[in-house]
Amino acid sequence: KSKQTRSLNPGNYGKLDADNQAVLNLRSGKYAFKEFKVGHGVTINLDLSGGPITIDVVGDVDMGQGAKMVIKAGGGAENILWRVQGEHINLKQDGKFLGTFLAPNAAIDLDERATLTGALYGLEVEIRQRAVVTGRPAVSLLISLALA
């Protein structure tokens, strides 16, 4: 089961649970999940060539140790928006994460040596030792939400 590759089209899904070392391919559009969980060393490839990616999660987000998000084509971290209704977002150690995480009810934990290019908006935000945040908020996506 390890090293599986899954390509998802925009749409509504139940619980996403990607095994350790898996590869997940997402492209421009809107995604909705009940939960979003990826194991250790998972790679999430993002194709932004057709525009932004919005990921809505009803529950929690859990990204395993060393998980990484990679832009394969198109825009940058400011074109990725996570809207999370759950109570926990765990971005585990040594991970490389992209996008703006908008989670008004959540405790967000950016673990040791993890990096985020984007922004974190939560009920509580904890940035651990040697974690790095590079501000690239999804301002235009947030504005379009406010005007919708």
Side-chain angles (χ1 to χ4, degrees):
K1 242 182 151 184
S2 64
K3 280 288 188 189
Q4 74 186 73
T5 298
R6 292 168 65 186
S7 297
L8 298 180
N9 290 317
N12 296 323
Y13 296 90
K15 180 180 177 183
L16 177 87
D17 200 347
D19 292 335
N20 294 347
Q21 307 300 322
V23 176
L24 179 63
N25 297 313
L26 303 178
R27 62 184 175 87
S28 299
K30 293 186 178 187
Y31 294 83
F33 298 96
K34 283 192 170 58
E35 285 180 42
F36 195 97
K37 181 179 181 188
V38 301
H40 300 311
V42 167
T43 300
I44 302 171
N45 292 318
L46 303 166
D47 179 351
L48 298 166
S49 57
I53 291 178
T54 301
I55 301 169
D56 291 319
V57 183
V58 174
D60 294 343
V61 173
D62 192 7
M63 304 264 196
Q65 180 176 344
K68 66 179 182 279
M69 300 171 71
V70 180
I71 295 173
K72 288 298 189 183
E78 66 279 2
N79 301 119
I80 303 161
L81 178 61
W82 294 79
R83 297 186 297 189
V84 180
Q85 296 174 29
E87 295 180 0
H88 299 282
I89 297 176
N90 294 312
L91 305 175
K92 297 227 171 76
Q93 64 190 30
D94 301 312
K96 295 185 183 345
F97 306 106
L98 299 168
T100 294
F101 288 79
L102 184 60
N105 305 313
I108 303 174
D109 188 11
L110 185 64
D111 212 344
E112 293 182 29
R113 298 181 307 277
T115 62
L116 170 79
T117 302
L120 300 171
Y121 300 97
L123 188 62
E124 293 175 23
V125 175
E126 184 153 359
I127 299 172
R128 308 266 180 180
Q129 288 180 283
R130 297 185 300 284
V132 176
V133 176
T134 303
R136 292 292 294 274
V139 174
S140 62
L141 293 175
L142 292 170
I143 291 171
S144 65
L145 263 182
L147 298 176

